[in-house]
Amino acid sequence: MCGIIGYCGPKNATKVIVQGLRRLEYRGYDSAGIAVGSNGSLKVIKSKGKIKDLHNKIPEDLESTYGIGHTRWATHGVVNDINAHPHVDCTGDLAVVHNGIIENFESLKNMLKAEGHTFHSETDSEVIVHLIEKYFKDDLEKAVKEALPLLKGTFGIVCVHAKEPGTIVGARNGSPLVMGIGLDEMFLASDVTAIIAHTKQAVYLEDGEIVVIKPDGFVTTDIDDRQVTKEIEQITWELQEIEKNGHPFFMEKEIIEQPESIRRAISGRIDKDQATAHLGGLNLSTKDLTNIERVKIIAAGTSYYASMVGAYLLEAIPRIPAIAELASEVRYRNPIIEKNTLYFAVTQSGETVDTLYAMKELKRKGATVLGICNVVGSSIARDSDGGVYIHSGPEIAVASTKAFTSQISVFYLFSLLLARMRDLSFSEGEKFIQDLQSIPFKVEKILDMRLKIKEMAKKYAHCSDFLFLGRGVNYPVALEGALKLKEISYIHAEGYSSAEIKHGPIALINEDTPSLFLVPDDDLRGKIISNIKEVKARKGKVIAICVEGDEEIKDIVDDIVEIPKTTELFYPFLMVIPLQLFAYYCALELGRDVDQPRNLAKSVTVE
Ligand code: M6R
């Protein structure tokens, strides 16, 4: 949730760290701080608010060659300067930044206070710095190794000591930490976006590992001081991918990128000769694939709604019983692992703790869990038994958009693969591939209509409640549309199956509560139209996302967005784009901070 960066090398560390924090701001943005080595001591500057507020507090001439920085998403303690990281020890010589949660912080705090340590913040993180201080004699790494076994919970930590200028110690347990290797300079960060302006060489730390970096190299060990050999990996993301490139917000850029990101998700994975798909990273043999009797998918947020689409497809296309479940619920339900059941953990970031821990629980019980991930080298990508990268490129806006369409792209491919091993004929497979490959062009057509959607958003952005209604494979899309609207515009929105409104939600309908109906030209169209009429009879305003040329709908509803025609099961791709745009433009109209909505953060690494 929080962003971490550490730097040692010949450049001005203050500048490198602040630039890194700007790139990490999407991970948490309520406060930030730095601790840099300057003239034999540490200079610590912290500020409530955005990185620009921190930047305003930093003297222009603050030179340094090493230091650490942090951008916070508050868990323990209100948002203020004192609770911002880094936290320092009683001497002011030792500073620590932390991502994660220390569960036993209260007992540690009491112990350390009784021993004479003075605490300033309300955070759980401050115990870490005093604990390291307790063990520090003249060796920071040694002190960290003595302190860590006392911590219960999750952490990615990075620390510096004024008595060891140029050295940074990092450790990981449950929260990501990646090391960047430059020329005579080294970096530690919570994710690669903070360092790709400087280096493409990365080493991903595993839980239980400790790293010491100095400008000329690094040493990785485990808690028992055994050396660990690490592989250096190449970062594939480009700097321009994490820039706005002329767009006012990353969300706009990421919505518009979707024709390309969908193409990337499917490219190289279609076998036209056999009218099937191949997904290299699954690590499953043909026999394994034919033996699958059931699929269970775990995820959170938007990834959960993409998983619901996936489960629908797996039942509809290869006819395999499938279900999507909230990872947070699966973990604590003592899940039953059934024979011949394949599990997927679906996640953009690969760091969502609810999904990561549910995956670990399933694996502990013997399940095979594959990841559907965007971020290469992320915890879920590394800990899963195999999987598929969605190749969306970096998704920086807190509201997930292109990851959704890329995740469902992978489910279309996987469904095709399994179906072609079962009952789907060659010609049906060919038709399926044609439909899938035509989607990016149809998405382009919808994006071309964005000014119309912008106008519509202006008309409705003042409403305080919304219903999003869809059925079948588009039901999860309605849920996603409601999530998108509420998280960035703060307009209250609920998603339902349109069949459900008569069971309760219709009580909400009045002139001020619009309903947005998803109306594909499928078998349920007639029933959805009846639901629309029920809403209209109660004076509710209705927006319909319908298929171009649907004249009947035009006469019934207040506003329409017409999308290109496709085959029934492919509508989620086309239905979701207007909903993303509608949410985006409503948020713009209301003057919201679209990329960094209140109370949220990208990548939720706490439970
Ligand atoms: O990184 P993940 O896909 O695991 O993230 C899951 C959710 O936290 C995420 O989709 C969240 O709901 C977004 N803010 C939705 O836009």
Side-chain angles (χ1 to χ4, degrees), residues 3-7 11-28 32-34 36 50-52 54-56 58 60 62 64 67-71 185 187-199 239-240 242-243 250 396 596:
I4 288 179
I5 174 150
Y7 172 77
K11 294 177 186 145
N12 183 345
T14 313
K15 290 206 159 60
V16 173
I17 290 165
V18 172
Q19 185 203 49
L21 288 179
R22 284 191 203 283
R23 304 224 190 272
L24 287 172
E25 198 169 21
Y26 72 114
R27 292 186 71 100
I34 61 166
V36 293
K50 298 285 178 83
I51 305 300
K52 65 174 174 1
L54 171 70
H55 190 224
N56 290 340
I58 300 174
E60 262 302 307
L62 180 57
S64 57
I68 58 180
H70 187 270
T71 172
E185 59 181 0
F187 305 81
L188 273 173
S190 48
D191 74 66
V192 296
T193 53
I195 59 175
I196 53 178
H198 305 278
T199 180
L239 186 58
Q240 66 182 48
I242 58 165
E243 309 276 5
F250 280 108
I396 309 283
Q596 297 179 349

Side-chain angles (χ1 to χ4, degrees), residues 316-391:
I317 305 163
R319 308 286 303 149
I320 292 175
I323 186 165
E325 294 183 275
L326 288 171
S328 50
E329 292 301 321
V330 169
R331 179 181 178 199
Y332 292 104
R333 212 187 45 222
N334 195 9
I336 299 165
I337 310 299
E338 292 160 293
K339 216 169 114 247
N340 295 333
T341 301
L342 180 65
Y343 288 81
F344 279 105
V346 179
T347 165
Q348 186 283 130
S349 63
E351 301 295 349
T352 301
V353 153
D354 290 329
T355 311
L356 177 64
Y357 285 3
M359 180 181 89
K360 285 182 194 263
E361 180 67 13
L362 293 169
K363 285 186 65 177
R364 187 176 301 117
K365 291 174 174 234
T368 298
V369 189
L370 304 182
I372 296 182
C373 270
N374 189 32
V375 179
V376 175
S378 59
S379 301
I380 291 174
R382 301 172 84 76
D383 288 2
S384 55
D385 295 299
V388 187
Y389 281 119
I390 60 173
H391 298 309

Side-chain angles (χ1 to χ4, degrees), residues 70-91:
H70 187 270
T71 172
R72 179 174 186 240
W73 184 83
T75 56
H76 295 63
V78 296
V79 176
N80 61 23
D81 290 4
I82 295 171
N83 288 335
H85 299 216
H87 294 290
V88 290
D89 71 348
C90 301
T91 67

Side-chain angles (χ1 to χ4, degrees), residues 53 171 254 367 403 430 438 451 497 502 537 581:
D53 300 306
E254 289 160 9
E430 277 187 318
S438 71
L451 284 183
S497 156
K502 58 187 179 289
L581 288 166

